[in-house]
């Protein structure tokens, strides 16, 4: 094939690729308009390796959106340890080789609208083949709820989140994980602690 024809074909291919990429960008912008959470995840500095990583980040954002306060438990306050701070996850959140993810949160006491410092809620996610298990545990009481989801139902390609997957996971988390059992357990603990403290203060005053 003559050099001129080869160059012409290469230019055509490049233009087709550019059109495809432009189309993907437009699709992304539309998806971001429908679900702003997608834009937050996809434009963050947090790197994902696979669909499980993307889903754990989505679950994390859903929990945060629902009122849980991310608790970054890195011990070293170095620039590396905060490299994933734009999504409020520890820098080592997806470094486990056995498919286990652990993220921690604090709960807001609904009666005082304040963060409860000692009440920790833990999200443990485990990838088993094409399935992701999500477990939400209230550390003090041991109260827990769990769900299992098929990664392929929420992911396109290797790790791109589907726009309809956001609402699907949001509804599932709120129905199955963020129910009254964990919320009440945290609230009762907080109320109990406050009552004990008040009682102790009253006794001391007497």
């Amino acid at each position: 094939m003559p050099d001129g024809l080869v160059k012409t074909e290469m230019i055509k291919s490049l233009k087709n690729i550019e059109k495809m990429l432009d189309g993907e960008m437009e699709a992304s912008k539309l998806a971001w308009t429908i679900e702003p959470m997608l834009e937050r995840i996809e434009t963050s500095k947090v790197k994902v390796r696979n669909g499980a990583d993307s889903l754990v980040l989505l679950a994390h954002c859903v929990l945060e959106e629902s009122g849980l306060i991310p608790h970054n438990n890195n011990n070293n306050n170095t620039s590396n340890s905060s490299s994933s701070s734009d999504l409020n996850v520890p820098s080592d959140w997806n470094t486990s080789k056995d498919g286990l993810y652990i993220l921690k949160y604090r709960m807001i006491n609904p009666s005082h609208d304040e963060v409860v410092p000692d009440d920790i809620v833990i999200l443990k996610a485990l990838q088993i083949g094409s399935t992701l298990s999500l477990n939400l545990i209230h550390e003090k009481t041991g109260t827990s709820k769990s769900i299992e989801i098929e990664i392929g139902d929420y992911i396109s390609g290797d790790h791109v989140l589907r726009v309809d997957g956001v609402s699907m996971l949001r509804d599932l988390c709120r129905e199955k994980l963020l129910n009254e059992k964990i919320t009440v357990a945290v609230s009762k603990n907080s109320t109990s602690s406050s009552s004990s403290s008040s009682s102790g203060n009253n006794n001391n005053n007497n």
Side-chain angles (χ1 to χ4, degrees):
M1 185 180 291
D3 289 345
L5 189 55
V6 170
K7 288 181 180 179
T8 300
E9 291 301 317
M10 288 179 65
I11 291 172
K12 285 183 180 179
S13 296
L14 287 173
K15 286 184 177 179
N16 288 334
I17 292 173
E18 287 174 355
K19 287 181 180 179
M20 182 178 67
L21 292 175
D22 287 342
E24 289 179 354
M25 181 56 68
E26 288 302 316
S28 292
K29 288 180 179 179
L30 178 59
W32 294 350
T33 302
I34 297 171
E35 286 291 355
M37 191 180 291
L38 284 178
E39 181 178 9
R40 184 186 175 204
I41 293 172
E42 292 174 5
T43 60
S44 74
K45 297 177 183 178
V46 180
K47 294 182 179 180
V48 296
R49 307 163 301 176
N50 50 43
D53 280 7
S54 295
L55 264 182
V56 170
L57 284 180
L58 178 57
H60 165 73
C61 289
V62 167
L63 295 180
E64 188 178 10
E65 176 189 67
S66 301
L68 292 178
I69 308 299
H71 175 46
N72 190 326
N73 60 351
N74 280 322
N75 293 322
N76 300 318
N77 294 320
T78 63
S79 58
N80 288 334
S81 67
S82 60
S83 62
S84 297
S85 61
D86 53 337
L87 283 183
N88 297 317
V89 293
S91 58
D92 60 351
W93 71 280
N94 65 345
T95 57
S96 172
K97 294 181 180 179
D98 55 6
L100 178 65
Y101 306 78
I102 299 177
L103 297 171
K104 296 185 178 182
Y105 308 85
R106 290 192 174 102
M107 181 74 79
I108 292 180
N109 187 328
S111 61
H112 299 89
D113 198 26
E114 295 177 349
V115 174
V116 185
D118 298 328
D119 271 321
I120 303 297
V121 178
I122 303 171
L123 173 66
K124 287 188 177 182
L126 179 64
Q127 180 185 4
I128 306 173
S130 62
T131 300
L132 185 69
S133 173
L134 298 172
N135 301 273
L136 197 63
I137 307 159
H138 179 226
E139 192 172 52
K140 278 191 174 180
T141 63
T143 304
S144 66
K145 296 295 291 183
S146 64
I147 56 175
E148 289 189 355
I149 55 179
E150 286 296 317
I151 296 173
D153 291 343
Y154 300 82
I155 299 293
S156 295
D158 291 331
H159 56 74
V160 178
L161 290 162
R162 287 171 39 185
V163 64
D164 60 332
V166 178
S167 57
M168 286 167 55
L169 189 61
R170 180 187 287 120
D171 292 344
L172 196 57
C173 284
R174 289 180 176 177
E175 179 184 354
K176 301 294 185 180
L177 294 183
L178 291 166
N179 58 24
E180 292 183 358
K181 289 186 178 180
I182 286 179
T183 306
V184 169
V186 176
S187 299
K188 282 184 176 179
N189 248 336
S190 306
T191 305
S192 175
S193 298
S194 299
S195 300
S196 298
S197 176
S198 299
S199 175
N201 290 335
N202 290 334
N203 289 335
N204 288 335
N205 291 333
N206 293 332

